[in-house]
Coordinates of all heavy atoms in Angstrom, one line a residue:
A48 N -49.6 -26.3 14.2 CA -49.7 -27.7 14.6 C -50.0 -28.6 13.4 O -49.5 -29.7 13.2 CB -50.8 -27.9 15.7
K49 N -50.9 -28.1 12.5 CA -51.2 -28.8 11.3 C -50.0 -29.0 10.4 O -49.7 -30.1 9.9 CB -52.3 -28.1 10.5 CG -53.7 -28.2 11.1 CD -54.7 -27.4 10.2 CE -56.1 -27.5 10.8 NZ -57.1 -26.7 10.0
S50 N -49.2 -28.0 10.3 CA -48.0 -28.0 9.4 C -47.0 -29.0 10.0 O -46.4 -29.8 9.3 CB -47.4 -26.6 9.3 OG -48.3 -25.8 8.6
S51 N -46.8 -28.9 11.3 CA -45.8 -29.8 12.0 C -46.2 -31.2 12.0 O -45.4 -32.1 11.8 CB -45.5 -29.3 13.4 OG -46.7 -29.3 14.2
A52 N -47.5 -31.4 12.0 CA -48.1 -32.8 12.0 C -47.8 -33.4 10.6 O -47.4 -34.6 10.5 CB -49.6 -32.8 12.3
K53 N -47.9 -32.6 9.6 CA -47.6 -33.1 8.2 C -46.2 -33.5 8.1 O -45.8 -34.5 7.5 CB -48.0 -32.0 7.2 CG -47.8 -32.5 5.8 CD -47.8 -31.3 4.8 CE -49.1 -30.6 4.8 NZ -49.1 -29.5 3.7
F54 N -45.3 -32.6 8.6 CA -43.8 -32.9 8.6 C -43.5 -34.2 9.3 O -42.8 -35.1 8.8 CB -43.0 -31.8 9.1 CG -41.6 -32.0 9.1 CD1 -40.8 -31.9 7.9 CD2 -40.9 -32.4 10.2 CE1 -39.5 -32.1 7.9 CE2 -39.5 -32.6 10.2 CZ -38.8 -32.4 9.0
R55 N -44.1 -34.4 10.5 CA -43.9 -35.6 11.3 C -44.4 -36.8 10.5 O -43.7 -37.9 10.5 CB -44.6 -35.5 12.6 CG -43.8 -35.0 13.8 CD -44.4 -35.3 15.2 NE -45.8 -35.2 15.2 CZ -46.5 -34.0 15.5 NH1 -45.8 -33.0 15.7 NH2 -47.8 -34.0 15.5
E56 N -45.5 -36.7 9.9 CA -46.1 -37.8 9.1 C -45.1 -38.3 8.0 O -44.9 -39.5 7.8 CB -47.4 -37.4 8.6 CG -48.2 -38.5 7.9 CD -49.6 -38.0 7.4 OE1 -49.8 -36.8 7.5 OE2 -50.4 -38.9 6.9
V57 N -44.6 -37.3 7.3 CA -43.7 -37.6 6.2 C -42.4 -38.3 6.7 O -41.9 -39.2 6.2 CB -43.3 -36.3 5.4 CG1 -42.2 -36.6 4.4 CG2 -44.5 -35.8 4.6
L58 N -41.9 -37.7 7.8 CA -40.7 -38.2 8.4 C -40.8 -39.6 8.9 O -40.0 -40.5 8.7 CB -40.2 -37.3 9.6 CG -38.8 -37.5 10.2 CD1 -37.8 -37.2 9.1 CD2 -38.6 -36.7 11.4
M59 N -42.0 -40.0 9.4 CA -42.3 -41.3 9.9 C -42.3 -42.3 8.7 O -41.8 -43.4 8.8 CB -43.6 -41.3 10.7 CG -43.5 -40.7 12.1 SD -42.3 -41.5 13.1 CE -42.9 -43.1 13.3
Y60 N -43.0 -41.9 7.6 CA -43.0 -42.7 6.5 C -41.6 -43.0 5.9 O -41.3 -44.1 5.5 CB -43.9 -42.1 5.4 CG -45.4 -42.4 5.5 CD1 -46.3 -41.3 5.7 CD2 -45.9 -43.6 5.5 CE1 -47.6 -41.5 5.8 CE2 -47.2 -43.9 5.7 CZ -48.1 -42.8 5.8 OH -49.4 -43.1 6.0
V61 N -40.8 -42.0 5.9 CA -39.4 -42.2 5.4 C -38.6 -43.1 6.3 O -38.0 -44.1 5.8 CB -38.7 -40.8 5.3 CG1 -37.2 -41.0 5.1 CG2 -39.3 -39.9 4.2
E62 N -38.8 -42.9 7.6 CA -38.1 -43.7 8.6 C -38.5 -45.2 8.5 O -37.7 -46.1 8.6 CB -38.3 -43.2 10.0 CG -37.8 -44.1 11.2 CD -36.3 -44.2 11.2 OE1 -35.6 -43.3 10.6 OE2 -35.8 -45.2 11.8
N63 N -39.8 -45.4 8.4 CA -40.3 -46.8 8.5 C -40.4 -47.5 7.1 O -40.3 -48.8 7.1 CB -41.7 -46.8 9.1 CG -41.7 -46.3 10.5 OD1 -40.8 -46.6 11.2 ND2 -42.8 -45.6 10.9
N64 N -40.5 -46.8 6.0 CA -40.8 -47.5 4.8 C -39.9 -47.2 3.6 O -39.9 -47.8 2.6 CB -42.2 -47.1 4.3 CG -43.3 -47.4 5.3 OD1 -43.4 -48.5 5.8 ND2 -44.1 -46.4 5.7
Y65 N -38.9 -46.2 3.8 CA -38.0 -45.9 2.7 C -37.1 -47.2 2.4 O -36.8 -47.9 3.3 CB -37.2 -44.7 3.1 CG -36.3 -44.3 1.9 CD1 -36.8 -43.8 0.8 CD2 -34.9 -44.4 2.0 CE1 -35.9 -43.4 -0.3 CE2 -34.0 -44.0 1.0 CZ -34.6 -43.5 -0.1 OH -33.8 -43.1 -1.2
V66 N -36.7 -47.3 1.2 CA -36.0 -48.5 0.7 C -34.7 -48.7 1.4 O -34.3 -49.9 1.7 CB -35.8 -48.5 -0.8 CG1 -35.0 -47.3 -1.2 CG2 -35.3 -49.8 -1.3
D67 N -34.0 -47.7 1.8 CA -32.7 -47.7 2.4 C -32.8 -47.2 3.8 O -33.7 -46.4 4.2 CB -31.6 -47.0 1.6 CG -31.4 -47.6 0.3 OD1 -31.4 -48.9 0.2 OD2 -31.2 -46.9 -0.7
S68 N -31.8 -47.5 4.7 CA -31.7 -46.9 6.0 C -31.3 -45.4 5.8 O -30.6 -45.0 5.0 CB -30.6 -47.6 6.8 OG -30.9 -48.9 7.0
V69 N -31.9 -44.5 6.7 CA -31.7 -43.1 6.6 C -31.4 -42.6 8.0 O -31.7 -43.2 9.0 CB -32.9 -42.3 6.1 CG1 -33.1 -42.7 4.6 CG2 -34.1 -42.6 6.9
N70 N -30.6 -41.5 8.1 CA -30.3 -40.8 9.3 C -31.4 -39.7 9.5 O -31.3 -38.6 8.9 CB -28.9 -40.2 9.3 CG -28.5 -39.6 10.6 OD1 -29.3 -39.0 11.3 ND2 -27.3 -39.8 11.0
T71 N -32.4 -39.9 10.3 CA -33.5 -39.0 10.4 C -33.0 -37.6 11.0 O -33.6 -36.6 10.7 CB -34.7 -39.5 11.2 OG1 -34.2 -40.0 12.4 CG2 -35.4 -40.7 10.4
E72 N -32.0 -37.7 11.9 CA -31.6 -36.5 12.5 C -30.9 -35.6 11.4 O -31.2 -34.3 11.4 CB -30.5 -36.8 13.6 CG -30.1 -35.5 14.4 CD -29.1 -35.9 15.5 OE1 -29.0 -37.1 15.8 OE2 -28.6 -35.0 16.1
E73 N -30.2 -36.2 10.5 CA -29.6 -35.3 9.5 C -30.7 -34.8 8.6 O -30.6 -33.7 8.1 CB -28.6 -36.2 8.7 CG -27.3 -36.5 9.4 CD -26.3 -37.2 8.5 OE1 -26.7 -37.5 7.3 OE2 -25.2 -37.5 8.9
L74 N -31.7 -35.6 8.3 CA -32.8 -35.1 7.5 C -33.5 -33.9 8.1 O -33.9 -32.9 7.4 CB -33.8 -36.2 7.2 CG -33.4 -37.3 6.2 CD1 -34.5 -38.4 6.2 CD2 -33.1 -36.8 4.9
V75 N -33.7 -34.0 9.4 CA -34.4 -32.9 10.1 C -33.5 -31.6 10.1 O -34.0 -30.5 9.8 CB -34.7 -33.3 11.6 CG1 -35.2 -32.1 12.4 CG2 -35.8 -34.4 11.6
D76 N -32.2 -31.8 10.3 CA -31.3 -30.6 10.3 C -31.3 -30.0 8.9 O -31.4 -28.8 8.8 CB -29.9 -31.0 10.6 CG -29.7 -31.3 12.1 OD1 -30.6 -30.9 12.9 OD2 -28.6 -31.9 12.5
Y77 N -31.3 -30.8 7.9 CA -31.3 -30.3 6.5 C -32.6 -29.6 6.2 O -32.6 -28.5 5.6 CB -31.1 -31.5 5.5 CG -31.1 -31.1 4.1 CD1 -30.0 -30.5 3.5 CD2 -32.2 -31.3 3.3 CE1 -30.0 -30.2 2.2 CE2 -32.2 -31.0 1.9 CZ -31.1 -30.4 1.4 OH -31.1 -30.0 0.1
S78 N -33.7 -30.2 6.7 CA -35.0 -29.6 6.4 C -35.1 -28.2 7.1 O -35.7 -27.3 6.4 CB -36.1 -30.5 6.9 OG -36.1 -31.8 6.3
I79 N -34.6 -28.1 8.3 CA -34.7 -26.8 9.0 C -33.9 -25.8 8.3 O -34.3 -24.7 8.0 CB -34.2 -27.0 10.4 CG1 -35.2 -27.9 11.2 CG2 -34.1 -25.6 11.1 CD1 -34.7 -28.2 12.6
S80 N -32.7 -26.2 7.9 CA -31.8 -25.2 7.2 C -32.4 -24.7 5.9 O -32.4 -23.6 5.5 CB -30.5 -25.9 6.9 OG -29.8 -26.2 8.1

Side-chain angles (χ1 to χ4, degrees):
K49 286 180 181 178
S50 299
S51 60
K53 183 195 296 185
F54 179 77
R55 262 197 323 273
E56 188 178 5
V57 171
L58 192 64
M59 287 301 297
Y60 276 119
V61 170
E62 172 66 21
N63 295 327
N64 303 308
Y65 185 66
V66 62
D67 296 319
S68 297
V69 294
N70 185 322
T71 52
E72 186 175 353
E73 286 186 0
L74 286 178
V75 170
D76 285 349
Y77 180 79
S78 301
I79 294 172
S80 297

